Amino acid sequence: MTKSPSFETMAIHGGEGERHIGDPVTPAPVLSTTYFTHPDAVGFSATDLKADAPHFYTRWSNPTLDLLEQRLALLEGGEAAVSFASGMAAITGLFSTRLSAGDHLVLADVCYAGVAEYVHHHLPRQGVSVSIVDASNPVEVAAALRPNTRLVHIETPANPILKLTDIAAIAELAHGAGAELSVDSTIATPMGTNPLALGADYVCHSLTKYLCGHGDALGGAVIGARARLDALRKEALIHGGAVLSPFSAYLILRGMETLPLRMEKHQANAAALAAFFESHPAVSRVNWPGLASHPQADLARRQMRNFSGLMSFVVKGDPLVLARRMADSLHTVSYAVSLGKTKTLAFFIGTDDLLRSSYRLTGRPAEAYRAYAGDGVFRVSVGLESIEDIITDFARVLG
Ligand SMILES: *Cc1c(COP(=O)(O)O)cnc(C)c1O
């Protein structure tokens, strides 16, 4: 029996086909939108699409996207993957195929702001009811499940406070109620956590972040069981139309080759930077899953093989004064949104705006968020620069 290749090898070779003398070692992106075909080869309707159909039109399938999807499925230990033009397209595509009028969604109270906004603004119009829960507390999730709950969607670690959710515990609860679990694992990356192995039905990624790693391509993916993803491909991708550009897929595949190396360095830099922030007198709190002070440090160690490079911190003084100083005078670090690229990024996320416009939390859940975030967090995506230079830059603006 041949041993299955290690993660590092799959990040570079996963999904490669047979090799022939004279083949390019690095396959070029296939940019063609259409393919020579034959009246007997494929039906014209996506509903007739067969798994082994030849390429026909790039909105249906494309060799470069196929390679990316196979490699993602291997890295996550899933049967199949479907790529999308962005992480939002992947997640909203999944919601739109799994949820119909009359169904119920359970959503984690802290997650990517765009996902929370989509759920609040769009799903009720489609007749889907929603419960918002603190997914880090399985008792709250259990209490929210109903006979018509079809999907539970969580994000772990959750942006921007790095709160964790116990995937195995929530998978068991969801399945017990006849629902499915989808996990946004963008921040953990497949280096840190494989949600499918813990019982999740779908793992979602914004490929824009660590998987691409260089901040030069948008992309998204859902990974899971083949039969369910075939339906996702037809409904959300072929009909929804948010197809990933093959050129972006090429850039993402190139980035993924160094994912294991990059994640090691992101984690090492994050450990040093989090320790610096924790010891700084101007800082009142640091959120990073690798810290002993993280409120779920045990779960972090159980569920994450790599703690990733995203953290947030809260300051004692006026955060808006510091935010302006950062934007005006950081050198190595860029004051900018997004995460997961080679360059260190920092951005202030005010609590009032986020709770009001994105999460729509009041009362006790809002107070629970404030315990992590105060009036706002500085979210830092630690890059791959020298950690001395990163710390020098932050030390200067923190004073
Ligand atoms: C960025 C991000 C998304 C959305 O991805 P896009 O590629 O920007 O559409 C979703 N979830 C998380 C956790 C993200 O960080």
Side-chain angles (χ1 to χ4, degrees), residues 168-182:
I170 304 305
E172 200 179 318
L173 288 172
H175 295 159
E180 295 179 321
L181 174 65
S182 89

Side-chain angles (χ1 to χ4, degrees), residues 202-215:
Y202 307 98
V203 49
C204 307
H205 282 289
S206 167
L207 305 176
T208 315
K209 313 296 170 53
Y210 288 104
L211 284 153
C212 174
H214 296 72

Side-chain angles (χ1 to χ4, degrees), residues 375-386:
D375 292 336
V377 290
F378 287 91
R379 186 181 67 185
V380 179
S381 172
V382 189
L384 306 179
E385 302 96 334
S386 138

Side-chain angles (χ1 to χ4, degrees), residues 85-91 111-115 153 155 157-159 184-187 204-209 217-220 310 338-339 379:
S86 67
M88 281 300 292
I91 295 167
C111 63
Y112 187 71
V115 172
H153 180 82
E155 180 177 311
N159 172 59
D184 184 338
S185 196
T186 298
I187 296 166
C204 307
H205 282 289
S206 167
L207 305 176
T208 315
K209 313 296 170 53
L218 290 169
L310 191 71
S338 199
L339 58 106
R379 186 181 67 185

